[in-house]
Amino acid sequence: MRKLMIAALMLLGTSAAFAGDSEPLKAILKAKTYADAETLLKTNLNQLVNDAEKAKAYNKLVDLAMEKVTKEQATITSNQMAKQFGQGKEVAYDTTGYNNALFDAINSAIACNEFDQKPNDGGKIKPKFESSNATRLYGLRANLINAGQAAGQKNDQATALKYFGMYVESAVSPLFKSIDRTKTPDQYLGEVARVAGVYAFQNKQMDLANKYVDVAMQDTAVYKDALNLKMYLMQQGLKSKADSLQYVETLKGLYTKDSKNDQIFATLVNMYGSLKMAADQDKIIADKIAADPENSIAWALKGQNFMNANKPEQAVECFKKAIIKDDKNVVVLTYLGFCLNAQAGSINGNKVEQQKLYKESQDYLEKARSLDPNREKANWSYPLYSVYYSLYGAADSRTKEMESLNK
């Protein structure tokens, strides 16, 4: 009798260990279309008995989406062959359906992998679908870029974000960690991530924007543009002094890592100025000039501080040092002319010296004009009017031209 009872218990244990799929999972696995399977999964996700079943359910979505991808991919390949060898006819294919199916396949594979990586009842991680999904999907990711570009050309920002965003999400997903990036580097990731960040910002999804820009900043080829966007995004969230101080700390962290970056330096200097942190501002400018005596931005910012403090002579000295390496900076050229005018205006009884300063100012301001004829970067016309008026009088045609520009 005891042996029979043990045998019965063993039979029950075996039955439990090898129990079949739950009824909700069976229904999902029997679905014929992606839409039906997705609806069933969303409705019954909490009824699936464990992570293994959830992974299996999501993998079914991958399979169904891939049926559409494979079908349309075959047509695309056939069209390419027909075009290349001049045999057969090109056939229209479902572009939208293909793009959506590819997005769905990758999205579902990422979700599948999240559950596939969970420990089993024995506490071990034994993924069943990671390898096969990574292999069949990684090479197709570039088509997401095509889909994003097509949406962008139609000014469909939300759809462009959807595809560009998925390209970035998949790039950083653990699903593809087995792919050897040294052999197959992702040459598009940095630029796509930057563009995705722009679209996310335009769609008011700031968390995504920052996430994608952070990815873009890891690519040296787009680092400068990505950094510009990153700083711009951070500035959008400044609503209080506390926010601004936190932004300064972030900038200081970036500057510590990249002390030669003039973008970060200039932004940090301007933030110190806006927060009236004069000592910090003076120190960082002085440190920059000590480390790089010919840094045009540092001299320009120092000159701007002197100009704002109504010290035109010191400002002129700084601005002249700034244009030694960058003589095409329209703003600095305009500021330089403005400060020379201020110097000239403060002279009493020495018309020769006064006119000498105005002549010098004229050279700088006319150069600014030639570089920026539409005054898009700086309003050089106002100080140039003062120069012409002082040198040639109110009736001169040059003076009248500048007067008309300033009305």
Side-chain angles (χ1 to χ4, degrees):
M1 176 65 74
R2 185 168 179 273
K3 290 182 179 180
L4 288 174
M5 289 179 65
I6 291 174
L9 288 171
M10 289 177 63
L11 184 61
L12 287 171
T14 302
S15 176
F18 294 94
D21 297 331
S22 65
E23 291 303 317
L25 179 58
K26 287 180 181 178
I28 294 169
L29 297 178
K30 288 179 181 178
K32 301 299 182 182
T33 68
Y34 181 90
D36 288 344
E38 183 184 37
T39 300
L40 287 168
L41 193 156
K42 288 180 177 179
T43 304
N44 297 286
L45 182 63
N46 293 331
Q47 276 66 55
L48 298 177
V49 297
N50 53 32
D51 293 322
E53 282 208 345
K54 291 172 184 177
K56 195 171 183 179
Y58 272 108
N59 193 65
K60 176 64 176 181
L61 293 188
V62 180
D63 290 340
L64 290 170
M66 283 302 295
E67 288 179 6
K68 177 67 172 177
V69 170
T70 302
K71 176 187 175 188
E72 302 305 330
Q73 190 72 48
T75 304
I76 294 171
T77 302
S78 177
N79 287 344
Q80 290 172 341
M81 296 292 288
K83 186 175 182 179
Q84 182 176 355
F85 298 106
Q87 297 179 352
K89 295 182 179 180
E90 293 186 48
V91 179
Y93 70 96
D94 182 4
T95 307
T96 301
Y98 173 75
N99 292 338
N100 286 334
L102 179 58
F103 176 92
D104 290 338
I106 296 175
N107 191 43
S108 297
I110 291 173
C112 170
N113 196 58
E114 291 178 6
F115 293 109
D116 206 19
Q117 297 294 329
K118 298 288 181 66
N120 58 24
D121 292 339
K124 296 182 179 181
I125 298 175
K126 294 184 176 182
K128 294 182 178 180
F129 308 108
E130 177 187 17
S131 179
S132 60
N133 282 339
T135 299
R136 62 177 168 169
L137 289 171
Y138 189 78
L140 296 173
R141 291 173 56 250
N143 292 287
L144 292 169
I145 302 176
N146 298 331
Q149 289 175 328
Q153 290 169 357
K154 297 176 182 177
N155 293 319
D156 186 349
Q157 295 180 354
T159 302
L161 172 60
K162 169 183 173 180
Y163 291 120
F164 286 137
M166 179 53 71
Y167 187 89
V168 181
E169 296 285 356
S170 61
V172 299
S173 170
L175 171 64
F176 297 113
K177 68 178 183 292
S178 62
I179 302 297
D180 187 348
R181 309 298 171 92
T182 59
K183 291 183 179 179
T184 55
D186 194 336
Q187 59 183 316
Y188 307 113
L189 179 57
E191 178 60 12
V192 173
R194 185 192 67 80
V195 173
V198 172
Y199 278 115
F201 171 72
Q202 291 174 342
N203 280 272
K204 296 180 171 47
Q205 298 188 49
M206 297 301 292
D207 288 343
L208 280 182
N210 279 292
K211 177 181 180 180
Y212 295 154
V213 171
D214 286 343
V215 173
M217 287 177 63
Q218 297 174 33
D219 186 339
T220 55
V222 299
Y223 173 77
K224 185 176 180 180
D225 290 337
L227 177 62
N228 268 335
L229 180 56
K230 179 68 175 179
M231 291 191 293
Y232 178 77
L233 291 175
M234 287 190 290
Q235 289 173 6
Q236 304 312 297
L238 304 183
K239 298 179 180 178
S240 65
K241 184 175 181 179
D243 291 337
S244 296
L245 290 171
Q246 181 59 50
Y247 179 42
V248 165
E249 290 303 312
T250 302
L251 289 172
K252 286 167 65 176
L254 290 171
Y255 191 56
T256 298
K257 295 178 183 177
D258 190 4
S259 61
K260 293 183 178 180
N261 192 295
D262 287 337
Q263 297 169 264
I264 304 172
F265 166 71
T267 306
L268 188 50
V269 170
N270 288 328
M271 285 302 300
Y272 281 143
S274 67
L275 292 167
K276 303 188 184 309
M277 299 169 68
D280 295 278
Q281 187 184 57
D282 290 342
K283 183 178 186 307
I284 193 174
I285 292 175
D287 289 346
K288 172 63 80 173
I289 291 174
D292 183 6
E294 296 182 349
N295 189 283
S296 61
I297 293 178
W299 282 114
L301 290 168
K302 186 172 184 177
Q304 185 175 320
N305 283 347
F306 279 127
M307 182 179 70
N308 293 337
N310 198 26
K311 296 179 179 180
E313 187 173 350
Q314 294 93 322
V316 165
E317 182 182 349
C318 292
F319 289 141
K320 284 183 176 180
K321 289 181 179 180
I323 64 173
I324 290 174
K325 287 194 71 174
D326 183 8
D327 64 350
K328 292 182 171 58
N329 189 315
V330 175
V331 174
V332 174
L333 290 169
T334 302
Y335 285 169
L336 181 49
F338 179 84
C339 290
L340 284 166
N341 288 357
Q343 272 189 274
S346 66
I347 294 176
N348 293 314
N350 190 339
K351 190 170 183 179
V352 173
E353 184 62 27
Q354 189 180 56
Q355 290 206 326
K356 181 181 176 182
L357 288 170
Y358 279 128
K359 276 285 189 181
E360 187 180 3
S361 175
Q362 179 180 343
D363 291 339
Y364 292 124
L365 292 169
E366 286 181 345
K367 184 170 185 177
R369 179 183 187 178
S370 68
L371 293 168
D372 183 31
N374 296 320
R375 297 178 295 176
E376 295 173 343
K377 297 177 181 177
N379 185 15
W380 43 260
S381 62
Y382 177 75
L384 191 53
Y385 166 76
S386 298
V387 167
Y388 289 156
Y389 185 91
S390 300
L391 290 176
Y392 311 116
D396 189 90
S397 60
R398 289 165 290 188
T399 307
K400 289 183 176 180
E401 181 193 8
M402 288 302 106
E403 185 178 19
S404 66
L405 287 177
N406 286 289
K407 286 183 177 179

